[in-house]
Amino acid sequence: MKNNKVSFLFAAPAFVIYTALLVIPILMAFGISFFQWNGFNEMTFVGADNYINLFHDVRLGNSVINTLIIAGTVIVAVNVLGLGLAMLVNKASKVNNFFRTIFFIPFVLSSVALSFVWKSILSYNGVLNGILEVLGLGDAAGNWLGNKGTAIVCVIIVEIWRTLGYHMMLYLAALQSVPNDLYEACTVDGGNAWDKFKNVTLPLIVPGMSVSILMSIINELRIYDVVKIMTDGGPGYDTETIVYNIVSQGFTSNIIGYSSAIAVVLFVVIGAISVFVVQQTNKREVKM
């Protein structure tokens, strides 16, 4: 009993902070979503109207498409490349430790600071176009962040570069949990490199793969800061994401109730996807 009380005292600060910063705001957002409110005047109850309006909002539909394009591309890229890089630097050595650090550094740095750096590189008067001019390739210079097609590609590239090291580390941790005895047994049975990957590596890194896929889905479906700083949702609404739309509707247009409804739906969707991913990966997990 005494140990339980001590444990509770240690956990209490984290529980209070978690409740205050996450649980309470979620419940408040859910309640506000049934009202029409600009953040200042009296609330007006509108029932499910905010949720119904979601299906008729062209701008929101555009932000959903943009989010799916960015998230889908980044999720596939960081998991495939992350696994590949993890396999390349799996063996402990000074060279591999150096490359692990190089790839992981962008993730631990401020995403806001990195976005400003990339904006200065990719803007019309930025470093990239300056280098192209110096090399005599001025015709190849472009308004990378100001054109519809290239703007979203730039966001995707930066997001992949920024998060790749994190997923590499997740896969690296999973790879290092695979016993070497199994690889040796596969070699004795005449297995080649592909057989080892398919029959040993892949089944045993499912837990790590589950975490990596789940984290990439959660992070990319709520991407905001990179888009805000690099393109500000532009040109027009061509790179606007769901979370950018929520912030814009709530704090620029002062449509707090409607933006809360969007946030609640996004929360439910991410939760449902997370449960589905965990269930599917648990079915494929190999018990040691």
Side-chain angles (χ1 to χ4, degrees):
M1 183 65 68
K2 184 177 179 180
N3 290 336
N4 290 337
K5 291 181 179 179
V6 172
S7 300
F8 176 78
L9 289 176
F10 277 107
F15 176 78
V16 171
I17 293 173
Y18 180 83
T19 303
L21 298 182
L22 187 65
V23 177
I24 292 177
I26 290 173
L27 295 176
M28 289 178 63
F30 180 72
I32 294 172
S33 67
F34 294 100
F35 292 84
Q36 184 179 2
W37 186 43
N38 63 5
F40 303 99
N41 298 330
E42 186 177 350
M43 291 182 174
T44 303
F45 182 76
V46 294
D49 286 358
N50 286 327
Y51 290 96
I52 295 173
N53 292 336
L54 294 176
F55 299 97
H56 306 289
D57 190 341
V58 176
R59 178 182 172 185
L60 177 60
N62 178 71
S63 68
V64 170
I65 293 173
N66 291 336
T67 302
L68 291 177
I69 292 173
I70 295 172
T73 306
V74 174
I75 289 167
V76 172
V78 297
N79 281 282
V80 173
L81 296 177
L83 176 57
L85 287 174
M87 295 181 69
L88 289 175
V89 300
N90 188 26
K91 292 184 178 180
S93 69
K94 291 183 179 180
V95 174
N96 284 346
N97 289 339
F98 171 77
F99 282 108
R100 291 177 188 177
T101 304
I102 291 298
F103 281 111
F104 190 65
I105 283 176
F107 182 76
V108 298
L109 296 177
S110 167
S111 59
V112 173
L114 292 177
S115 299
F116 275 115
V117 171
W118 276 102
K119 184 177 181 180
S120 68
I121 294 173
L122 298 170
S123 60
Y124 186 72
N125 296 318
V127 176
L128 178 57
N129 284 344
I131 293 175
L132 292 175
E133 290 286 348
V134 171
L135 296 176
L137 301 173
D139 293 339
N143 189 11
W144 308 108
L145 299 178
N147 292 328
K148 178 179 181 180
T150 56
I152 197 168
V153 171
C154 289
V155 170
I156 290 172
I157 291 173
V158 171
E159 186 65 8
I160 291 172
W161 172 81
R162 188 182 71 83
T163 59
L164 180 58
Y166 171 70
H167 295 279
M168 177 196 72
M169 286 298 184
L170 291 177
Y171 281 110
L172 187 61
L175 287 171
Q176 293 185 348
S177 68
V178 180
N180 287 326
D181 295 347
L182 297 180
Y183 290 118
E184 295 173 1
C186 188
T187 301
V188 171
D189 291 339
N192 53 28
W194 171 247
D195 293 325
K196 292 178 182 179
F197 175 76
K198 181 180 66 173
N199 299 320
V200 179
T201 303
L202 203 56
L204 293 179
I205 64 169
V206 168
M209 183 181 295
S210 172
V211 173
S212 181
I213 292 174
L214 186 58
M215 293 305 299
S216 61
I217 290 173
I218 294 172
N219 290 333
E220 302 313 322
L221 286 180
R222 56 188 183 89
I223 182 174
Y224 171 74
D225 45 4
V226 173
V227 172
K228 173 62 180 178
I229 294 168
M230 288 184 61
T231 64
D232 201 19
Y237 299 126
D238 291 330
T239 58
E240 185 178 75
T241 60
I242 298 174
V243 175
Y244 185 100
N245 186 285
I246 292 171
V247 175
S248 178
Q249 298 275 23
F251 298 100
T252 302
S253 302
N254 292 328
I255 313 175
I256 306 294
Y258 181 63
S259 66
S260 297
I262 302 174
V264 169
V265 172
L266 179 62
F267 173 78
V268 172
V269 169
I270 291 177
I273 293 174
S274 300
V275 171
F276 175 78
V277 170
V278 171
Q279 288 179 340
Q280 293 303 310
T281 52
N282 283 342
K283 292 178 181 178
R284 293 165 174 77
E285 184 175 343
V286 174
K287 303 297 182 181
M288 292 296 294

